[in-house]
Amino acid sequence: MSQLTLMITKDGRFAYEAAGDPGAIPLIFLHGIGGAARSWRQQLATFGDRFHTIAWDMPGYGGSAPLASVSITALADALQQFIDQLGATKPILVGHSIGGMIVQKWLVQSPKLARAVVLAQTSPAFGKADGDWQKSFIAARLGPLDRGETMKSLAPMLVKELVGDDPDPNGMELARECMGRVPEASYRAMMLALIGFDQRSTLGDISVPTLLLSGSKDNNAPAPMMAKTATYIPGAAYVELPGVGHLANLERPAAFDEALGRFLNSLATKA
């Protein structure tokens, strides 16, 4: 198992965790709204013997400086700046939830810079602010904060609502820890950044090997929606993990790593 390293980029803006040989192919993980770089520690260890595994703290999370104005476009720009700071050439990107949205936006701006991408439990669109589902989604997540709850007090309930059947206890402890430490301002800003996101028209332009990974019990990024999304991306692979909710890498780390490992092995055979 590769030793974990906690690092800050040269410009001081971005924090990240990394493992493996810095000269190996970069494998960069992007967490969701309730996550953190440390939510990927199992994957950093699993794949650190073959890749330079890197887990990014999004702006406003962990040791990463917040953005002046938060949007998916601004986050995609920040991702490119992070990649530039690392000097990561032709990375493989694994984006979970909003991390997958950031990857989709980044691909529009930098269509040839990735070696491959994994869109894990994410969506190509969130929708308009005046949509009933969108309004109820945002209200359900921000309402308790408006009423005086804290991220720490909400974390157990929020995590429980996200997961599927028989989640790994250690993974759930880490999920609650990550959720409870998200700064309230960052959580609010990221939730509001979802509104209006829509990359459906650009799915057909994705020209790098792509895996879409879903959970059958995921209510935030439902498996049927992800399966349909895969049909719009040329040559995309699709994997559904049975019984898994929205936090696959923490709920069922072995199953997640197996699916990711198969995809990474397929890249090696195509090289």
Side-chain angles (χ1 to χ4, degrees):
M1 177 172 164
S2 302
Q3 184 174 357
L4 192 67
T5 307
L6 305 175
M7 305 186 77
I8 300 287
T9 52
K10 295 187 291 289
D11 64 358
R13 292 179 57 203
F14 303 114
Y16 63 103
E17 298 191 357
D21 178 2
I25 293 170
L27 178 59
I28 301 175
F29 295 89
L30 292 82
H31 62 79
I33 287 178
R38 62 186 172 277
S39 66
W40 296 107
R41 284 178 177 170
Q42 172 70 46
Q43 286 68 46
L44 296 187
T46 298
F47 298 102
D49 59 342
R50 296 170 51 198
F51 298 90
H52 183 207
T53 50
I54 300 154
W56 185 40
D57 266 328
M58 281 197 299
Y61 286 68
S64 292
L67 297 173
S69 179
V70 179
S71 67
I72 302 295
T73 298
L75 289 162
D77 290 340
L79 173 61
Q80 182 58 54
Q81 292 156 15
F82 175 63
I83 291 170
D84 289 342
Q85 284 286 310
L86 294 178
T89 303
K90 297 289 281 188
I92 301 167
L93 299 180
V94 180
H96 172 252
S97 198
I98 197 174
M101 295 178 174
I102 295 168
V103 169
Q104 291 174 67
K105 178 64 76 173
W106 178 83
L107 281 171
V108 174
Q109 302 167 3
S110 309
K112 301 294 185 183
L113 294 188
R115 189 177 305 263
V117 298
V118 178
L119 304 177
Q121 305 182 284
T122 189
S123 171
F126 182 77
K128 298 177 181 179
D130 56 359
D132 290 340
W133 183 87
Q134 288 81 4
K135 286 192 290 189
S136 64
F137 181 92
I138 297 294
R141 283 148 183 82
L142 299 188
L145 294 172
D146 294 337
R147 295 189 291 271
E149 294 277 5
T150 66
M151 290 304 298
K152 186 174 182 180
S153 68
L154 288 172
M157 177 196 72
L158 290 173
V159 169
K160 185 177 180 180
E161 290 178 348
L162 289 172
V163 301
D165 303 331
D166 302 318
D168 177 78
N170 292 329
M172 292 306 88
E173 183 178 353
L174 180 53
R176 290 187 291 270
E177 176 197 335
C178 290
M179 183 76 78
R181 290 189 183 183
V182 176
E184 181 179 328
S186 297
Y187 187 80
R188 287 179 177 274
M190 293 293 174
M191 280 291 174
L192 296 176
L194 295 172
I195 296 172
F197 173 77
D198 192 342
Q199 292 301 136
R200 287 175 292 186
S201 65
T202 64
L203 293 173
D205 298 327
I206 295 177
S207 58
V208 299
T210 303
L211 168 66
L212 283 87
L213 194 154
S214 74
S216 70
K217 296 292 185 75
D218 188 347
N219 295 320
N220 285 1
M225 177 274 296
M226 290 208 67
K228 184 177 180 181
T229 300
T231 67
Y232 292 101
I233 300 174
Y238 173 73
V239 173
E240 180 179 323
L241 300 178
V244 174
H246 191 60
L247 304 178
N249 70 297
L250 294 170
E251 294 179 57
R252 304 277 183 86
F256 181 92
D257 290 358
E258 181 183 3
L260 177 55
R262 285 199 306 269
F263 177 66
L264 296 174
N265 290 338
S266 76
L267 300 177
T269 62
K270 295 172 185 175

